[in-house]
Amino acid sequence: LFIFLFVPFSLNAQDAYINVKYGITSHDSNFTSKLGGATVDEDDEGYMFSAGYFLIGDNVGLDFMYYDMGGTSIKVNADNIITIDGADYMAQTGGTISNTVEGYGLGVVLASSPIGDGFLSIGIQGKLGLHQWDKSGSTTLLFHSSGIDSRFYDSGTDLYAGLGINVGLTEAIALNASYDVLGFDDTASSLDSASTMYSAGLTLSF
């Protein structure tokens, strides 16, 4: 799977980089409580790892990325009716239904050149491309629980985008702050049913 992205800049015309960031995630579960007091928690924490090699200067190269964005949890009581992605489900017993969101991408890197050199140098980054994702988990709390597999538990390929800023600490190390948005509608041309992450991390160039 190839993904076309803008990623962290090389601070001193280095050939490769590693970027690790951790942040707050928010998910769109397409959940509503139809009957009873079921509740949903769509906020979590997650991380993203990327590594790449520049082929043309310090602006164009190849990038690999992997992420774990936490997941969504739904608390139900017996006989609650919930709606997920337009389908209704009744809980046969109380408990928590949860999933975990992971994925990866491989693609082309485009990176800006920094303003300044070394300490407090600044660069802006953008991201746009595709990612392969998996929402994993299982539940036996619902009547006909298998029907939820294609909605709350699923996998696919979707659009991925982001915006970030890098601030240099040295010629090889930078602080990174980013906003990323990932689509989960299994439609490679949209950002529907999106999850987002506000994150901070470090970029090492070498």
Side-chain angles (χ1 to χ4, degrees):
L1 172 68
F2 286 89
I3 177 171
F4 295 88
L5 301 175
F6 294 95
V7 299
F9 61 82
S10 173
L11 292 175
N12 193 30
Q14 305 295 321
D15 292 331
Y17 65 86
I18 296 174
N19 175 255
V20 180
K21 54 189 180 182
Y22 184 87
I24 299 171
T25 62
S26 180
H27 305 280
D28 182 0
S29 63
N30 295 313
F31 163 89
T32 56
S33 177
K34 191 169 185 178
L35 179 65
T39 60
V40 63
D41 184 359
E42 297 179 326
D43 299 323
D44 207 340
E45 298 176 353
Y47 66 88
M48 186 176 293
F49 168 85
S50 62
Y53 185 78
F54 288 102
L55 300 175
I56 303 176
D58 59 354
N59 301 109
V60 181
L62 296 176
D63 176 77
F64 167 82
M65 70 96 165
Y66 170 81
Y67 63 84
D68 182 331
M69 296 187 67
T72 299
S73 296
I74 300 172
K75 292 184 178 180
V76 297
N77 297 312
D79 299 325
N80 285 173
I81 298 178
I82 62 175
T83 301
I84 298 177
D85 200 21
D88 294 339
Y89 303 94
M90 176 178 283
Q92 58 182 334
T93 187
T96 301
I97 304 166
S98 60
N99 64 20
T100 299
V101 181
E102 297 177 289
Y104 63 89
L106 175 66
V108 174
V109 184
L110 298 177
S112 70
S113 297
I115 300 173
D117 189 24
F119 184 62
L120 296 183
S121 59
I122 296 176
I124 303 297
Q125 66 182 38
K127 301 181 180 182
L128 178 64
L130 299 174
H131 68 111
Q132 178 69 39
W133 54 269
D134 180 63
K135 291 185 177 181
S136 60
S138 63
T139 185
T140 58
L141 299 180
L142 307 174
F143 291 103
H144 309 295
S145 291
S146 61
I148 202 175
D149 289 349
S150 63
R151 293 177 170 85
F152 195 64
Y153 308 115
D154 200 3
S155 61
T157 303
D158 276 271
L159 195 63
Y160 172 88
L163 182 66
I165 185 170
N166 295 281
V167 179
L169 298 178
T170 70
E171 291 185 345
I173 301 173
L175 292 175
N176 173 262
S178 299
Y179 170 77
D180 296 285
V181 56
L182 300 87
F184 289 95
D185 195 42
D186 201 14
T187 303
S189 61
S190 78
L191 286 169
D192 293 339
S193 302
S195 294
T196 60
M197 180 168 70
Y198 292 93
S199 62
L202 290 174
T203 300
L204 172 65
S205 299
F206 53 93

